[in-house]
């Protein structure tokens, strides 16, 4: 499929960053915005982006602190990142959008939806949590210490262990481990500095004012996710007014790499308002209304 894309360089609060809009084949859905995790750059959505383009335009972004954007000091919180995302969308998609927030990006997507609910048709959060628990905080802090000390081999192992479960039923786990391990191993000093900034931001700024999110939300993660575990992800769903929750079979935290076709199918069904029952690749979808499962 031939696609046309537009690169949008912007500045917000004195920090340069970049958005990207790829025009789809006119399937009828509102634009889909992808906000990725700590190692997810705007050009790295691969199969997920390609399959979404059959139904909608796709918008990706390197927010301040990500990818090719300027480094963002950790004292700038999630509200600042949500403001930068809003600034981009004012330029490229001023109407309602569907939003996908994955891992670190889920906090930014969630906060933007809290601040601008009138702009959100539906919100999909992949690998999310409402707070960083004590044990997980220790593990994440350990990765910061290793990176600061230049112990790159141990840092790489710690990052992989945070995200990959090693469970025998996880799809493509050997290939995904090689891919992500290669990305972490080839991080430049600038990349490591951005990782440190973003991780300290995650630990220091909750990014959630406790208000109930009023838009339709679907929360999912891999059934074996060791980072944003199914329990933590479901707790995040329970803080929304109208949420669905499920786990993807044969996946852990990197579900978008392990089961990309299934994530796209789930997203498009949800965005189109289609039934989510009886899907073979995920657990039965729960309807969660402010903590009450149906």
């Amino acid at each position: 499929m031939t696609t046309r894309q537009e690169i949008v360089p912007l500045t917000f609060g004195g920090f340069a960053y970049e958005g990207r809009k790829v025009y789809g084949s006119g399937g009828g859905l509102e634009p889909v915005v992808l906000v990725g995790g700590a190692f997810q750059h705007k050009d790295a959505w691969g199969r997920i982006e390609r399959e979404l383009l059959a139904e909608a335009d796709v918008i990706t972004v390197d927010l301040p602190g990500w990818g090719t954007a300027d480094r963002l000091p950790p004292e700038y919180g999630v509200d600042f990142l949500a403001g930068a995302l809003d600034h981009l969308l004012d330029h490229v998609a001023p109407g309602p959008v569907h939003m996908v927030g994955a891992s670190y990006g889920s906090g930014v997507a969630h906060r933007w939806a809290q601040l601008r609910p009138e702009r959100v048709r539906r919100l999909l959060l992949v690998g999310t949590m409402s707070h960083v628990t004590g044990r997980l905080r220790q593990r994440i802090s350990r990765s910061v210490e290793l990176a600061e000390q230049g112990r790159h081999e141990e840092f790489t192992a710690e990052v992989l262990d945070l995200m990959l479960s090693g469970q025998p039923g996880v799809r493509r786990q050997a290939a995904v481990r090689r891919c992500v391990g290669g990305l972490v191993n080839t991080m430049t000093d600038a990349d490591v500095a951005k990782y440190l900034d973003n991780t300290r931001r995650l630990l220091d700024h909750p990014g959630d004012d406790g208000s109930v999110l009023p838009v339709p939300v679907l929360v999912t993660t891999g059934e074996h996710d060791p980072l944003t575990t199914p329990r933590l992800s479901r707790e995040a769903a329970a803080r929304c007014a109208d949420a669905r929750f499920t786990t993807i079979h044969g996946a852990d935290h990197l579900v978008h790499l392990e089961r990309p076709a299934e994530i796209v199918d789930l997203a498009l069904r949800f965005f189109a308002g289609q039934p989510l029952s009886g899907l073979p690749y995920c657990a039965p979808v729960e309807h969660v209304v402010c903590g009450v499962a149906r």
Side-chain angles (χ1 to χ4, degrees), residues 34-291:
L34 304 176
V35 186
F39 305 102
Q40 187 81 41
H41 298 175
K42 70 180 186 303
D43 302 307
W45 287 94
R47 182 175 177 180
I48 287 180
E49 177 183 297
R50 291 194 299 271
E51 295 192 9
L52 287 172
L53 285 169
E55 301 296 335
D57 297 341
V58 174
I59 298 163
T60 66
V61 60
D62 280 343
L63 290 169
W66 258 275
T68 59
D70 284 349
R71 182 175 172 183
L72 184 68
E75 56 265 27
Y76 288 83
V78 178
D79 276 17
F80 182 87
L81 292 169
L85 179 59
D86 192 57
H87 184 57
L88 167 66
L89 294 179
D90 281 345
H91 281 77
V92 300
V97 298
H98 297 292
M99 177 78 65
V100 179
S103 191
Y104 182 92
S106 68
V108 180
H110 183 277
R111 185 59 180 147
W112 182 75
Q114 283 182 318
L115 296 170
R116 299 298 302 273
E118 75 283 0
R119 296 283 307 279
V120 185
R121 280 284 187 251
R122 293 189 169 220
L123 174 65
L124 171 60
L125 301 176
V126 183
T128 192
M129 55 186 166
S130 60
H131 61 284
V132 182
T133 61
R135 180 179 176 278
L136 182 55
R137 178 175 290 271
Q138 292 174 359
R139 291 286 309 278
I140 294 174
S141 297
R142 175 63 174 163
S143 76
V144 169
E145 292 173 5
L146 293 171
E148 287 176 329
Q149 294 167 10
R151 296 158 64 180
H152 201 73
E153 185 173 332
E154 292 171 84
F155 167 70
T156 300
E158 185 69 27
V159 168
L160 291 176
D161 286 345
L162 275 168
M163 296 188 295
L164 298 169
S165 67
Q167 292 292 325
V170 174
R171 306 284 184 91
R172 303 183 66 233
Q173 58 178 312
V176 169
R177 180 172 285 272
R178 286 194 301 271
C179 174
V180 178
L183 287 174
V184 179
N185 270 320
T186 57
M187 290 172 70
T188 65
D189 290 344
D191 293 331
V192 172
K194 288 176 180 177
Y195 175 83
L196 292 172
D197 290 338
N198 288 335
T199 304
R200 292 186 181 111
R201 191 177 355 269
L202 175 68
L203 295 173
D204 295 342
H205 300 278
D208 182 354
D209 64 3
S211 61
V212 174
L213 190 60
V215 304
V217 179
L218 172 60
V219 177
T220 190
T221 194
E223 63 179 339
H224 301 299
D225 188 345
L227 181 58
T228 54
T229 64
R231 179 180 65 83
L232 291 173
S233 293
R234 192 188 181 286
E235 287 177 0
R239 297 166 68 92
C240 304
D242 180 16
R244 276 86 180 156
F245 171 74
T246 188
T247 55
I248 305 295
H249 299 319
D252 49 33
H253 187 67
L254 297 178
V255 59
H256 67 290
L257 296 176
E258 294 153 351
R259 307 213 67 181
E262 289 79 6
I263 283 290
V264 170
D265 183 70
L266 186 66
L268 290 177
R269 287 174 182 272
F270 176 60
F271 293 156
Q274 296 174 356
L276 301 178
S277 58
L279 301 177
Y281 52 78
C282 66
V285 177
E286 303 175 41
H287 189 190
V288 184
V289 182
C290 288

Side-chain angles (χ1 to χ4, degrees), residues 9-27:
L10 293 168
T11 301
F12 183 77
F15 297 92
Y17 70 112
E18 205 167 69
R20 173 174 166 270
K21 183 173 183 177
V22 187
Y23 293 85
S25 57

